[in-house]
Amino acid sequence: MADTSGSRFENMGRRVDEHLGSAIPRVEEEIKKVISYLNDEVVPNIRQDSAQALRSAAERLGKLADRLDASRTGRSPSER
C-alpha cells in the first residue's frame, strides 16, 4: 500500500513539474513585457510628472519665502 501511494505521489510530482516547466518560459516572457512597458510608458510619465510637481513646489516655496520676507519687513509681497 505504501508503494502505491508513493508511486502516485511521484507521478503527481512529475506532472506538476511538466506543467510548471512548460509555464516558466511563458512567465519569463510576460515578465519581460511588463518590464518593457514600465520602462517605455510608466517611467517617462513619472519623470515628467515629477518635474512638473517640482516646478510647482518651487513656485509655491518662492511665494512663501516672499510672504515671510514681507512679514519681517512689514510690507506686503506685492510691495517688493
Side-chain angles (χ1 to χ4, degrees), residues 40-56:
D40 297 343
E41 301 294 329
V42 176
V43 170
N45 288 335
I46 289 173
R47 286 185 179 147
Q48 180 180 0
D49 292 345
S50 296
Q52 289 172 350
L54 284 172
R55 285 185 185 94
S56 176

Side-chain angles (χ1 to χ4, degrees), residues 6-76:
S7 176
R8 288 183 192 163
F9 183 73
E10 287 176 13
N11 287 336
M12 184 182 74
R14 281 191 201 103
R15 282 183 275 161
V16 169
D17 284 344
E18 288 172 8
H19 288 298
L20 288 178
S22 65
I24 288 174
R26 289 186 303 219
V27 169
E28 288 174 345
E29 187 61 33
E30 290 301 315
I31 289 172
K32 287 178 185 177
K33 289 178 184 177
V34 168
I35 290 171
S36 292
Y37 173 76
L38 290 173
N39 286 334
D40 297 343
E41 301 294 329
V42 176
V43 170
N45 288 335
I46 289 173
R47 286 185 179 147
Q48 180 180 0
D49 292 345
S50 296
Q52 289 172 350
L54 284 172
R55 285 185 185 94
S56 176
E59 181 182 339
R60 290 180 183 185
L61 286 171
K63 288 179 182 178
L64 175 61
D66 289 344
R67 279 190 253 144
L68 289 172
D69 285 342
S71 69
R72 260 193 324 197
T73 61
R75 296 186 291 174
S76 69

